[in-house]
Amino acid sequence: MEKILDIRDLHVSFKTFGGEVQAVRGVNLELYRGETLAIVGESGCGKSVTANSIMRLIPTPPGEIKDGSILFKGQDMTQLSDKEVRKIRGVDISMIFQDPMTALNPTLTVGDQLTEGLRQHRSISRKEADKQAMEMLTLVGIPNPVERMKQYPHEFSGGMRQRIVIAMALICDPELLIADEPTTALDVTIQAQILQLFQKIQKQTGVSIILITHDLGVVAKIADRIAVMYAGKVIETGTRKEIFYTPQHPYTRGLLHSVPRLDQKGEKLIPIDGTPPDLFSPPEGCPFAARCPMAMEVCTKVYPFHSKLSRTHDVDCWLQDERAKKYMASTY
Amino acid sequence: MIPAKKQNEETPHSSIPDEWFKPKEKNTEDAESVVRPSLSYWEDAWRRLRQNKLAMSGLIFLILLGVMAVIGPWISPHDVDTQNLPNQNQAPSLTHWFGTDELGRDVFTRTWYGARISLFVGLMAALIDFFIGVAYGGLSGYKGGRTDNIMMRIIEILYGLPYLLVVILLLVVMGPSLLTIIIALTVTGWVGMARIVRGQVLQLKHNEFVMASQSFGAKTKRIIQKNLLPNTMGPIIVQMTLTVPTAIFAEAFLSFLGLGIQSPFASWGMMANDALGVILSGDWWRLFFPAFFISATMFAFNVLGDGLQDALDPKLRR
Amino acid sequence: MAKYILKRFIYMIVTVFIIATLTFFLMNLLPGSPFNEERTTNEAVQRNLEAHYHLDEPLVVQYVLYLKSIVTLDFGPSIKQPTETVNSLLGRGFPISAELGIWTILIALISGVALGVFAALKHNGVIDYIAMTIAVLGISIPNFVLATLLIQQLAVNLGVLPAATWSSPQHMVLPIVALATGPMAIIARLTRSSMLETLTQDYIKMARAKGLSPAKIIVKHALKNALMPVVTILGTLLAGVLTGTFVIEKIFAIPGMGKYFVEGINQRDYPVIMGTTVFYSAFLVLMLFLVDIAYGILDPRIKLHKEGGK
C-alpha cells in the first residue's frame, strides 16, 4: 500500500499569556491510501492541532510548528510557501469541521460557497462549476440541488448542512480528507447517516480519511486503524481490532472502560480519575503516570520506550518492559 | 510509530535502575495535584489588569484626579468664584498656577472644582444606572415570558429616543442644576445596563445551580441576589466604567451649551465655553486646562473600561 | 421581510408619538403658559400663538390640535423672531445641517472601517496598537473640545483653514473633522473587534481550507459579516452626529438647524424648541428605521426570524 501521509516527530506550540503551551510534542503518524485512520483522545490532547498542522491551518502567531516534518505524497508540508500550500488545500487535502452550523458563511448562498473552491483551482466556467456542484449535492444526498444551490445556510437543517460541508470538501476530488469531529454536533440518527455517507464516498472515490473524534462509537464503526493521543503524544496505535480487543496502554484501556457499550450489558462504567497534565510544563516521564493505576517509579522519570507488538500495533508504555513484567508476575 | 529519539539518547535503556519498575502505591492525591493552582476569579482579573499598562495608568490618573478634586480647591489660596477684575486673563504664574479667566477668577481652583462636578456626575449617573438597570434587566430576564416581552418592548422604544435631545428637553423644563442634570442623564441612561443584565441573566438562568436553588424552594429575589448577580458582575462593572465617561461628556456638552452648571460654580464644559470667547486673543490656558482634563478623564475611564473588559472576560482566562 | 418592515414601521410611529407627547406635556409643565406673560415680545405674536395653539381651549383639545399640527408638519411661529415661523427656520437650516451630517457620516464610515480592518489584520502589531490608541483618543476627546482646539491651532495660530461659517469646501473641513472623529473612532473599534471575531469563525477556516487567497477570504467572507454590527450601531451614531451638530454649528457659526435650536434654547423660544425637537426626533427615528431595513437586506437570516431584529 502506498503511504500518502507521513508525520514525523511533529512539535506544535502556542504562545499565550501564561507562557508556551506545547500542544503537540513529537507526534508520529502514517496514513495509507484509501484507509481511514481515527485519532482519538480527550479534548486538549492535541488531536485537532495535529490535524490543522497537516493543512498548515495553525494560526501563526500564536501557534507555531516547532519541529518535525509532514510528508504528504513525499512533499514536506512544513517547508512549502503559503502560495504552494494554497494549491494543495481544497484540491489534494480537504477538511471538515466539527460544527456544521458555523462552518458555512451565513451571508453567502450554498451554491456560491460550493463552487468557489472549484473556480479557484480549476479554470472552468460558472456553468460547469454549478453543474459539478449539483452533482456533488446529489452524491451527498441532498434532493432538489437546483433550488438548494440558491438558498442560504440557515435554510438547511444541521444534518443537511454537514452534508453540504462534506460536498464542499469533496468537490475538487481530494486524496486526503480530514474530518475534525464531523458528527459531534449532530443528533445520533443523523450521525449514523453521515458515517454511512463517509463509507459510501470512500468506496466511490478511494479517498483516505483522517477522522478526529473523542467518540469511540464512531471509531468502532468506520476506522481501519486507530491512534490514541494523550497530552500531545500518540501513546498507542493499532488496527481497530487491536485497540478494541487487546489494548495495551492503561490510558487506552481506561478510555474503553469509560464508554457505554451496547454489546456488553451490565458492565460498569469506570471514569479515569484526575485531569490531563498542564502542557505549559509537561511532566518529564509518561504524561499519564499521575493518573495511571499501574504507574511505576520509572513512569514519572523517563518517557516510555517505544514497543512494537505487531506490524500494526505500537505502544509507548513501560509495562511492556521485561523488568516491569517480572515484578508484576511476582506481585500477583 | 518511530521511537522518540531524543529521550532515548539521554537515557540508555539499560541504565534505568531495576527497582524503578516496582509498582507504585496508588496515590490518589497525585492525580489531582497535576492541576495548576487556581486563582479566584477576582485575583485572576486583577493580575491581568495589572499587566495592562494603559489601563493601569488610567487608574492611577483617576486616583490622582480624585485626590485633587478633594484637596485641590482647598490647597489653592484662591476661591472658586472670587472675582478680581484687575487680575483678569493672566497667564499661569506663581500666584495663579493655571492663570485666571476674564473675571480674574483662579483657573487652578476652578479646574479642580470642575473635577468634582465631573466625577460626581459621572459616578452618580453610573450608580443610578446600575440600580435601575440591574433591577429592571434582572427582573425582565429572570421572569421571562410575557413580562420579559413587554419590558423589552418598552426598552426598545426608550432605546429609540434620542438621548441628548430628551436630556436637553428635560433641562429646559426643569431648569439647569446639578440635580436636574443627574436626573436627566439617568432617565434614559439605564437602558443599556438593563439590556446587558438581562442578557447575562438569560444566559445563566438555565444553569444547574439556579435550578438547584429553585428546587430547594428559594425565592426569586434571593436567587437574583445570591446566584445570578455575582456571575454577571464582570460585564456590569465594565458597563459602569464606560457609563462614567458618557455622563461626563454629557455634562460638559450641556454646560457648553449653557444648560449645565451655572455660574458662579465651575464645570469643565462651562470653562471651555467661556474660553471660546477669548480664543482669538491667544490666552491658551483658558482652553487648555478644561480641554485637557475633560479629554484625559474620559481617556482614563475608557482605557480602564477596556482593560477591565479584557481582564474580566472569562473567555480570555488562562 | 414585509412583516419585519411593518413591525419596524410601527415602532417608528410609536416612538415619534411618544416624543411628541413628551415634548408637549413637558412644555405645559412650565410655570404659566410658555406662550404668554413676559416671554412674548409683541402683541401680534401673542395673537398668532393663541390662534395656532388655541391656548384658550382645554389641554386635551390643545394636545389634539398639536398632534394635528405635527402630522401636517406645521410647527407654528417663533416667539422671538416675529417674522419667522419654525418651518422657515427648518427649511433654511436643514439642508446645511444635512450636508454637514452626510459628509461626517461618510468620512467616519470610510476611515473608521479602513482603520478597523487594518488594525484587525495586523492584530497585536504596532499598527494595531497605534490605530487603537488613536481610536480611544478619538472617543475620549469631546467634539466641542476638538473643534475649539482645531480652531485655535489650525485657524488662529497657523491660519491654514478658515475658522467659521459654511461657504466653501475649505470652510467645511474643520467642522467635519471635529464632528467625524468620534464616530470614526467608535466604528474603528467596533470593526476591529468584529473583524477579529469573524476571523476566528469556522467558515473562515473553511475558506482557508479551500485554498482561497487571503485577500479573497477577507473581502468575500469576512468583511460582510464583520460589518453587520457596524450597521446596527449606525443609528446610534447618527443620533450622536445629530446632537453633535448643535455644538459644532454653534462653534463654527454655521447657519444650520442646530444653531437655531441652540439659540431657541438660550432664548427660551418654546415653539422653536418644540418644533425642532420633534423634527429631529422624527428624522432620527426615520433613519433608525432605514438602518433596520438595510440590516434586514444585508443579513439573509432576518427573513426567517419571526421576531425580526435582535
Side-chain angles (χ1 to χ4, degrees), chain A residues 295-315:
Chain A
M296 301 165 289
E297 201 176 344
V298 64
C299 300
T300 59
K301 298 206 164 120
V302 187
Y303 187 78
F305 287 17
H306 183 78
S307 315
K308 218 164 176 43
L309 305 171
S310 74
R311 197 176 54 79
T312 48
H313 198 170
D314 298 80
V315 65

Side-chain angles (χ1 to χ4, degrees), chain A residues 7-66:
Chain A
I7 301 176
R8 284 168 188 269
D9 197 31
L10 182 70
H11 286 77
V12 185
S13 294
F14 289 86
K15 285 202 176 69
T16 68
F17 269 118
E20 201 178 276
V21 180
Q22 301 171 32
V24 170
R25 308 182 295 139
V27 158
N28 296 289
L29 278 175
E30 45 201 35
L31 180 72
Y32 296 92
R33 188 174 289 283
E35 78 166 346
T36 301
L37 170 72
I39 305 180
V40 296
E42 289 167 88
S43 49
C45 71
K47 53 193 195 300
S48 284
V49 175
T50 306
N52 283 321
S53 303
I54 298 172
M55 274 182 99
R56 288 264 303 272
L57 284 175
I58 297 289
T60 317
E64 195 191 343
I65 295 178
K66 285 270 182 185

Side-chain angles (χ1 to χ4, degrees), chain A residues 88-156:
Chain A
I88 292 175
R89 282 183 192 155
V91 184
D92 298 311
I93 311 178
S94 275
M95 194 149 178
I96 294 168
F97 297 98
Q98 175 170 1
D99 190 354
M101 306 313 255
T102 57
L104 294 169
N105 189 332
T107 58
L108 297 174
T109 62
V110 163
D112 192 357
Q113 295 183 64
L114 269 169
T115 52
E116 69 177 347
L118 262 181
R119 285 158 60 81
Q120 169 88 19
H121 298 293
R122 311 238 196 280
S123 48
I124 55 171
S125 69
R126 165 128 234 151
K127 226 173 146 189
E128 177 60 26
D130 280 350
K131 200 182 132 224
Q132 287 189 28
M134 282 186 268
E135 278 168 15
M136 197 44 86
L137 282 179
T138 316
L139 176 73
V140 297
I142 291 185
N144 300 331
V146 183
E147 288 151 44
R148 289 306 215 170
M149 291 275 286
K150 290 182 210 124
Q151 290 183 329
Y152 289 93
H154 70 265
E155 296 169 71
F156 292 81

Side-chain angles (χ1 to χ4, degrees), chain A residues 6-305:
Chain A
D6 194 352
I7 301 176
R8 284 168 188 269
D9 197 31
L10 182 70
H11 286 77
V12 185
S13 294
F14 289 86
K15 285 202 176 69
T16 68
F17 269 118
E20 201 178 276
V21 180
Q22 301 171 32
V24 170
R25 308 182 295 139
V27 158
N28 296 289
L29 278 175
E30 45 201 35
L31 180 72
Y32 296 92
R33 188 174 289 283
E35 78 166 346
T36 301
L37 170 72
I39 305 180
V40 296
E42 289 167 88
S43 49
C45 71
K47 53 193 195 300
S48 284
V49 175
T50 306
N52 283 321
S53 303
I54 298 172
M55 274 182 99
R56 288 264 303 272
L57 284 175
I58 297 289
T60 317
E64 195 191 343
I65 295 178
K66 285 270 182 185
D67 201 2
S69 60
I70 299 167
L71 297 172
F72 173 71
K73 295 201 293 181
Q75 197 175 19
D76 190 350
M77 294 291 287
T78 62
Q79 301 301 321
L80 297 181
S81 71
D82 287 350
K83 213 175 163 189
E84 288 165 323
V85 169
R86 281 207 294 279
K87 281 189 185 138
I88 292 175
R89 282 183 192 155
V91 184
D92 298 311
I93 311 178
S94 275
M95 194 149 178
I96 294 168
F97 297 98
Q98 175 170 1
D99 190 354
M101 306 313 255
T102 57
L104 294 169
N105 189 332
T107 58
L108 297 174
T109 62
V110 163
D112 192 357
Q113 295 183 64
L114 269 169
T115 52
E116 69 177 347
L118 262 181
R119 285 158 60 81
Q120 169 88 19
H121 298 293
R122 311 238 196 280
S123 48
I124 55 171
S125 69
R126 165 128 234 151
K127 226 173 146 189
E128 177 60 26
D130 280 350
K131 200 182 132 224
Q132 287 189 28
M134 282 186 268
E135 278 168 15
M136 197 44 86
L137 282 179
T138 316
L139 176 73
V140 297
I142 291 185
N144 300 331
V146 183
E147 288 151 44
R148 289 306 215 170
M149 291 275 286
K150 290 182 210 124
Q151 290 183 329
Y152 289 93
H154 70 265
E155 296 169 71
F156 292 81
S157 68
M160 284 291 197
R161 285 195 217 184
Q162 194 62 304
R163 284 170 195 268
I164 293 167
V165 172
I166 293 170
M168 252 160 71
L170 292 173
I171 197 138
C172 288
D173 197 18
E175 290 173 73
L176 170 59
L177 180 65
I178 302 169
D180 190 353
E181 307 260 6
T183 57
T184 309
L186 302 173
D187 290 345
V188 182
T189 46
I190 312 280
Q191 277 187 14
Q193 291 173 10
I194 295 291
L195 290 179
Q196 274 171 8
L197 179 62
F198 273 117
Q199 284 172 316
K200 175 182 149 195
I201 286 162
Q202 192 165 41
K203 211 176 266 172
Q204 277 188 14
T205 63
V207 64
S208 314
I209 298 176
I210 293 182
L211 183 73
I212 290 154
T213 183
H214 62 268
D215 183 348
L216 288 167
V218 170
V219 174
K221 280 202 193 84
I222 67 168
D224 297 316
R225 282 195 308 124
I226 298 166
V228 182
M229 279 191 75
Y230 186 79
K233 285 181 179 285
V234 175
I235 50 144
E236 186 166 7
T237 50
T239 61
R240 176 172 50 176
K241 253 193 185 153
E242 283 163 342
I243 296 294
F244 274 94
Y245 296 107
T246 56
Q248 290 302 314
H249 201 288
Y251 176 68
T252 313
R253 279 183 229 158
L255 212 55
L256 290 167
H257 280 303
S258 60
V259 176
R261 287 174 66 170
L262 295 174
D263 55 342
Q264 289 174 356
K265 270 188 192 161
E267 199 173 294
K268 247 192 179 170
L269 288 183
I270 309 160
I272 308 174
D273 288 332
T275 48
D278 178 7
L279 292 179
F280 281 105
S281 47
E284 224 168 275
C286 171
F288 189 60
R291 298 167 75 186
C292 182
M294 311 174 85
M296 301 165 289
E297 201 176 344
V298 64
C299 300
T300 59
K301 298 206 164 120
V302 187
Y303 187 78
F305 287 17

Side-chain angles (χ1 to χ4, degrees), chain B residues 54 149 152-153 156-157 159-166 168-176 195 242 249 252-254 256-259 268-269 272-273 276 279-285 287-288 290-292 294-296 298-300 302-303 306 309, chain C residues 7-8 11 14-15 18-19 22-23 26-27 29-31 129 133 136-137 139-145 147-149 151-152 156-157 163 189 236 239 242-244 246-247 250-251 261-262 265-266 268 270 273-274 276-277 280-281 284-285 288 307 310:
Chain B
L54 204 56
N149 216 341
M152 277 305 115
R153 290 294 157 273
E156 227 168 299
I157 288 167
Y159 206 69
L161 295 180
Y163 172 72
L164 271 176
L165 267 181
V166 174
I168 289 173
L169 211 57
L170 285 172
L171 282 175
V172 168
V173 174
M174 296 191 295
R195 277 193 157 183
L242 296 175
F249 168 77
F253 180 90
L254 295 167
F256 189 81
L257 283 181
L259 280 171
W268 290 339
N273 190 18
L276 199 56
I279 204 162
L280 294 172
S281 64
D283 296 345
W284 59 271
W285 63 91
L287 180 60
F288 175 78
F292 171 78
I294 299 172
S295 307
M298 285 182 61
F299 184 78
N302 279 324
V303 292
D306 285 355
Q309 190 150 35
Chain C
K7 197 187 135 198
R8 292 284 125 191
Y11 268 119
V14 170
T15 310
I18 287 176
I19 292 171
L22 196 73
T23 313
L26 278 176
M27 286 300 160
L29 279 180
L30 283 167
Y129 196 76
T133 310
V136 187
L137 276 175
I139 289 171
S140 303
I141 302 176
N143 44 26
F144 60 90
V145 169
T148 36
L149 286 174
I151 292 179
Q152 196 179 45
V156 178
N157 286 358
R189 278 159 57 99
T236 324
L242 194 138
T243 40
F246 304 165
V247 284
K250 179 190 166 186
I251 294 170
F261 182 58
V262 174
I265 291 169
N266 289 336
R268 302 293 187 264
Y270 293 100
I273 299 177
M274 286 168 76
T276 34
T277 304
Y280 270 132
S281 312
L284 202 62
V285 172
L288 287 175
E307 288 297 316
K310 276 170 265 177

